[in-house]
Amino acid sequence: MRPVPRRPRAAARRGHALPEVRIQAFLDKAAVTLYLDTSGEPLNKRGYRRDAGEAPLKENLAAGIVRLTGWNFRRALLDPMCGSGTLVVEAADDGLAIPPGHARTFGFERLAGFDLKRWNEVRDAALARREPKQRLPIFARDRYGEELKKARLNLEAAGLGDCVELKQADVLDTGAPAGAGVLLANPPYGTRIGEESALAEFYPKLGDTLKNTTRAGVATSSRGMRDFRS
């Protein structure tokens, strides 16, 4: 075995080669436990993201949120604050039955007993269930053109450039793109993006906009968000 100084990613930035197979060690007073890393990169990393933007959702979290809405590709989905596009990429992947992580590699592929033939069979079977690429009723909006560029880059990297409609628009002025559907967004929430005073002004306006056209709810872990109600 070849020891790697510091954490592997930090070691790579210092010019050290990454290990082919990582073994994690957890030490307590009585014992040391070794874990063989079969994932490689964290599993939330699907392999398509080229520009994460600021404060992005993890891909697997975005996919779970889409699933919780009950959305399917026959209904409209609007993300009026799409940022780098994680929600709409994951929605498009889900709508087209594209298996998550198909564009990345995994740690187990570097193990001595790895069966490449069997893995290719499993992977090909999952890919065979995909729907044909098509324009989906998914609408991505953002106030800032630079964010839309990131979303377009990520959609194209995922092979979904023609599946989602992108348009520059302010959420406070964005009309519904369809008569019914799902509105889903990851709005600014203060601790990472946006000063609290600006958010205190923004959220009542957002509430006024949404309550005129939608039934909407906000999921948040911030107790301070209660002060932003309109």
Side-chain angles (χ1 to χ4, degrees):
M1 287 195 302
R2 171 174 52 84
V4 176
R6 301 177 181 270
R7 298 191 318 183
R9 292 294 156 197
R13 290 194 293 269
R14 289 169 173 78
H16 298 280
L18 287 175
E20 291 185 3
V21 176
R22 288 188 290 190
I23 299 174
Q24 310 281 1
F26 294 87
L27 180 67
D28 61 26
K29 292 181 180 180
V32 59
T33 304
L34 301 178
Y35 293 89
L36 189 63
D37 180 5
T38 58
S39 299
E41 288 289 335
L43 291 176
N44 65 280
K45 296 185 177 182
R46 310 292 211 200
Y48 63 78
R49 186 178 268 170
R50 297 296 179 267
D51 194 329
E54 191 174 356
L57 283 173
K58 289 184 177 181
E59 295 96 314
N60 58 339
L61 176 59
I65 292 171
V66 171
R67 286 288 184 94
L68 284 173
T69 69
W71 177 81
N72 64 66
F73 72 96
R74 295 180 180 84
R75 302 171 64 198
L77 184 144
L78 168 65
D79 182 351
M81 293 173 275
C82 70
S84 59
T86 307
L87 282 168
V88 294
V89 171
E90 293 298 330
D93 268 354
D94 186 64
L96 296 174
I98 296 173
H102 73 94
R104 56 163 285 168
T105 59
F106 297 90
F108 63 77
E109 296 179 54
R110 295 187 290 273
L111 298 180
F114 172 62
D115 187 338
L116 177 60
K117 180 175 182 293
R118 178 59 180 150
W119 171 238
N120 284 335
E121 290 172 354
V122 171
R123 187 175 180 276
D124 291 345
L127 291 172
R129 293 191 288 269
R130 293 176 296 178
E131 297 287 339
K133 294 286 180 67
Q134 59 192 278
R135 174 56 64 91
L136 297 168
I138 300 177
F139 306 89
R141 307 283 187 261
D142 204 278
R143 180 180 182 182
Y144 303 104
E146 288 302 313
E147 294 301 312
L148 285 175
K149 289 180 182 178
K150 297 171 187 176
R152 187 178 302 280
L153 182 65
N154 290 329
L155 282 162
E156 290 176 350
L160 301 168
D162 295 327
C163 299
V164 175
E165 180 185 287
L166 293 170
K167 183 178 179 181
Q168 187 169 356
D170 191 309
V171 61
L172 301 179
D173 300 320
T174 300
V182 173
L183 185 149
L184 191 58
N186 178 31
Y189 48 93
T191 58
R192 298 190 67 182
I193 302 178
E195 295 296 334
E196 191 167 310
S197 59
L199 295 181
E201 180 181 353
F202 168 71
Y203 272 95
K205 293 179 180 178
L206 177 62
D208 289 339
T209 299
L210 295 180
K211 70 186 180 185
N212 290 329
T213 57
T214 64
R215 292 186 299 167
V218 176
T220 177
S221 60
S222 172
R223 294 181 179 180
M225 291 288 288
R226 293 177 295 183
D227 299 330
F228 299 160
R229 291 177 292 185
S230 58

